[in-house]
Amino acid sequence: KAGVTQTPRYLIKTRGQQVTLSCSPISGHRSVSWYQQTPGQGLQFLFEYFSETQRNKGNFPGRFSGRQFSNSRSEMNVSTLELGDSALYLCASTGGQGLDEQYFGPGTRLTVT
Amino acid sequence: DQQVKQNSPSLSVQEGRISILNCDYTNSMFDYFLWYKKYPAEGPTFLISISSIKDKNEDGRFTVFLNKSAKHLSLHIVPSQPGDSAVYFCAASTGSQGNLIFGKGTKLSVKP
């Protein structure tokens, strides 16, 4: 079974630009969650999608948005990038067993200059 | 305000000895707890979980203990092996399907 894939793995953007990150979950998994990891704040929950609907949302500004497609693939978008958005963005795919069946992708390293 | 705290940023242990990683939480609504291991350039990998109805869960060399009254959990690794060297994250959730609140991690180094 293929794991969670995230593209691109590395990205460099300039302040004010926008960015779209992609996540392909494990086949059969319908839930996709996104997390941001920074040295200062650690791992923080962004949002979760299940069957194309946002089911949970963390405490991030509206510049952070996401969506999920009918094949469960998910994208997250960050608009008007700020230097503080530089982080590792992790996607997690969750199966029917819940959090014990949650697998993380390798992440996308975003650098904002 | 950190709801899940791992107060030791690092821990060094000799191979073959026990590693004990600690985690404290403040939100009494949390009822499901997980430990993850993370290597550089990889996403976290699930290790072991525990529900609040239990006080101990074992899986091979890994045991998680939960003390609800103290809002404290710990991960014991016995015996520790050099391949266990990684960053360990404690996470909490309300229910086994909810989103995770993570601690900031403890870097474990197991010396041969």
Side-chain angles (χ1 to χ4, degrees), chain A residues 35-56:
Chain A
Y35 291 83
Q36 180 196 64
Q37 185 182 17
T38 58
Q41 299 299 319
L43 272 155
Q44 292 185 285
F45 172 74
L46 279 155
F47 29 66
E48 182 213 0
Y49 285 87
F50 181 84
S51 293
E52 301 180 67
T53 302
Q54 188 180 88
R55 188 159 70 171
N56 276 305

Side-chain angles (χ1 to χ4, degrees), chain A residues 64-76:
Chain A
F64 291 81
S65 63
R67 59 179 175 167
Q68 187 180 32
F69 302 95
S70 58
N71 61 358
S72 293
R73 190 177 70 85
S74 177
E75 289 181 347
M76 69 162 279

Side-chain angles (χ1 to χ4, degrees), chain A residues 9-10 35 37 40-43 45 48 55-56 88 90 95-100 102 104-106, chain B residues 32 34 36 38 41-46 48-49 89 93 95-104:
Chain A
R9 291 294 310 277
Y10 302 91
Y35 291 83
Q37 185 182 17
Q41 299 299 319
L43 272 155
F45 172 74
E48 182 213 0
R55 188 159 70 171
N56 276 305
L88 180 68
L90 290 158
Q97 302 301 316
L99 292 170
D100 284 13
Q102 183 173 78
F104 281 83
Chain B
Y32 205 76
L34 305 93
Y36 287 82
K38 187 178 186 298
E42 293 182 15
T45 303
F46 169 74
I48 192 168
S49 64
F89 290 94
S93 174
S96 64
Q97 306 275 350
N99 55 281
L100 293 167
I101 307 297
F102 281 89
K104 292 196 175 180

Side-chain angles (χ1 to χ4, degrees), chain A residues 19-22 34 46-47 64-66 74-78 89:
Chain A
V19 67
T20 299
L21 312 182
S22 180
W34 289 89
L46 279 155
F47 29 66
F64 291 81
S65 63
S74 177
E75 289 181 347
M76 69 162 279
N77 184 276
V78 188
Y89 290 89

Side-chain angles (χ1 to χ4, degrees), chain A residues 9-15 17 19 21 81-89 108-113:
Chain A
R9 291 294 310 277
Y10 302 91
L11 204 49
I12 300 174
K13 289 286 189 179
T14 305
R15 248 183 320 178
Q17 287 186 315
V19 67
L21 312 182
L81 283 165
E82 300 176 0
L83 294 178
D85 297 333
S86 294
L88 180 68
Y89 290 89
T108 294
R109 171 73 62 184
L110 171 65
T111 302
V112 182
T113 61

